[in-house]
């Protein structure tokens, strides 16, 4: 009889307690203007603003951990030490350890020249045209920047017309110093760094890449219900124009 009373009490208690809280952790990595420190030392940026809006709408808690290098973040995520990574591409191999939200913004990659530079081919409308021309190019050392760039890269390398950089700050400084005619990179990141360095840019009339990015949830530490909760929040915010307003405030393409 006593056991029955304990079980009944536990059942009644469970019926009045709130559902298990939705709480996810992510490690920060500075990637201006998506994530960076403001003048007061706090973290801000396009991705953080979008994530905070999404998590608030989903009634979930987003816990941000101290900064980690990209490789360590990826490894920790795969080992189950992090629940979430933003700005992720949905690839088949990642489905072994992750689940993906619907897209919450696009990744865009463009080609830029220094404003007023005579060698900038403003008429070029594709990487194929650039590869057939004479312009030299600066590009990030790592990352995927679209099939057109991948196809043109061997010819650029063969002719000694391609140099690489490790950070956009380095890339902008190299462009400003005349180390190349053009620079390839994430549109918002390049524009942000150019403003920081006071370098005026011109933009070629084509995008090298436009692709959706997603929230990547750890399959070991999150549930299908967590994913559904975030997806529903993204969908509602898109319908109300909230996410578009945040993206527009950063002039996202």
């Amino acid at each position: 009889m006593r056991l029955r009373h304990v079980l009944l009490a536990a059942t009644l208690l469970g019926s009045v307690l709130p559902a298990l809280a939705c709480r996810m952790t992510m490690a920060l990595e500075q990637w201006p203007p998506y994530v960076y420190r403001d003048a007061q030392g706090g973290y801000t940026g396009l991705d953080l603003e979008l994530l905070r809006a999404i998590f608030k709408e989903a009634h979930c808690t987003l816990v941000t951990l101290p900064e980690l290098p990209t490789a360590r973040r990826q490894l920790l995520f795969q080992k189950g030490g992090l629940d979430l990574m933003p700005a992720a591409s949905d690839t088949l191999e990642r489905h072994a350890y992750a689940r993906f939200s619907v897209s919450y913004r696009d990744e865009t990659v463009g080609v830029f020249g220094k404003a007023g530079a005579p060698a900038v081919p403003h008429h070029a409308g594709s990487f194929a045209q650039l590869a057939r021309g004479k312009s030299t190019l600066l590009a990030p050392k790592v990352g995927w920047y679209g099939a057109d760039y991948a196809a043109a890269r061997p010819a650029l390398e063969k002719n000694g017309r391609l140099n690489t950089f490790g950070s956009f700050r380095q890339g902008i400084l190299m462009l400003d110093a005349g180390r190349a005619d053009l620079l390839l990179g994430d549109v918002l990141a390049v524009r942000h760094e150019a403003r920081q360095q006071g370098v005026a840019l011109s933009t070629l009339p084509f995008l090298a890449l436009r692709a959706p990015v997603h929230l990547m949830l750890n399959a070991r530490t999150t549930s299908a219900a967590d994913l559904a909760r975030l997806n529903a929040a993204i969908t509602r915010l898109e319908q109300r124009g909230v996410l578009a307003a945040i993206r527009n405030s950063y002039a996202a393409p």
Side-chain angles (χ1 to χ4, degrees):
M1 182 71 71
R2 188 174 180 181
L3 178 60
R4 286 178 59 192
H5 289 159
V6 171
L7 291 174
L8 178 61
T11 301
L12 292 173
L13 181 62
S15 67
V16 298
L17 285 175
L20 186 64
C22 173
R23 179 180 182 275
M24 298 183 203
T25 59
M26 62 172 274
L28 296 168
E29 180 186 19
Q30 291 208 55
W31 177 245
Y34 299 104
V35 180
Y36 66 99
R37 284 186 181 273
D38 60 21
Q40 289 72 43
Y43 285 97
T44 187
L46 174 57
D47 271 350
L48 274 185
E49 287 197 38
L50 291 169
L51 263 66
R52 285 166 179 161
I54 292 165
F55 272 71
K56 181 179 180 181
E57 178 71 19
H59 301 289
C60 292
T61 300
L62 176 64
V63 179
T64 55
L65 302 180
E67 292 182 42
L68 287 175
T70 302
R72 282 192 61 192
R73 269 196 322 146
Q74 290 278 1
L75 183 60
L76 190 59
F77 181 88
Q78 291 184 40
K79 288 184 174 181
L82 297 172
D83 304 316
L84 176 75
M85 290 184 69
S89 298
D90 185 345
T91 62
L92 185 60
E93 59 270 20
R94 287 177 170 176
H95 279 257
Y97 56 84
R99 59 182 105 241
F100 293 86
S101 75
V102 295
S103 173
Y104 69 97
R105 68 169 175 85
D106 281 350
E107 173 187 20
T108 53
V109 176
V111 183
F112 304 84
K114 190 174 176 182
V120 176
H122 295 286
H123 61 281
S126 69
F127 258 112
Q129 290 183 16
L130 288 181
R132 291 194 297 268
K134 297 181 179 180
S135 299
T136 52
L137 179 70
L138 294 165
K141 288 180 181 178
V142 296
W144 172 253
Y145 295 95
D148 291 342
Y149 169 64
R153 181 168 181 162
L156 294 169
E157 289 179 326
K158 181 180 179 181
N159 297 324
R161 293 165 50 207
L162 179 67
N163 287 310
T164 60
F165 56 85
S167 69
F168 283 110
R169 181 178 186 278
Q170 181 188 24
I172 292 295
L173 290 174
M174 292 171 71
L175 182 70
D176 191 36
R179 295 280 298 276
D181 304 317
L182 303 171
L183 183 144
L184 168 74
D186 179 278
V187 170
L188 291 187
V190 170
R191 288 176 178 168
H192 178 88
E193 190 57 47
R195 285 194 298 269
Q196 295 295 107
Q197 300 300 325
V199 178
L201 299 178
S202 59
T203 307
L204 268 65
F206 71 94
L207 286 175
L209 174 69
R210 187 181 195 107
V213 296
H214 313 261
L215 303 180
M216 183 166 68
L217 278 61
N218 196 309
R220 291 168 56 185
T221 63
T222 66
S223 67
D226 292 330
L227 178 63
R229 200 166 181 169
L230 293 180
N231 280 343
I234 293 170
T235 301
R236 291 194 298 269
L237 292 173
E238 290 288 16
Q239 290 171 345
R240 301 206 302 265
V242 174
L243 299 186
I246 296 172
R247 294 190 295 261
N248 290 340
S249 72
Y250 285 80

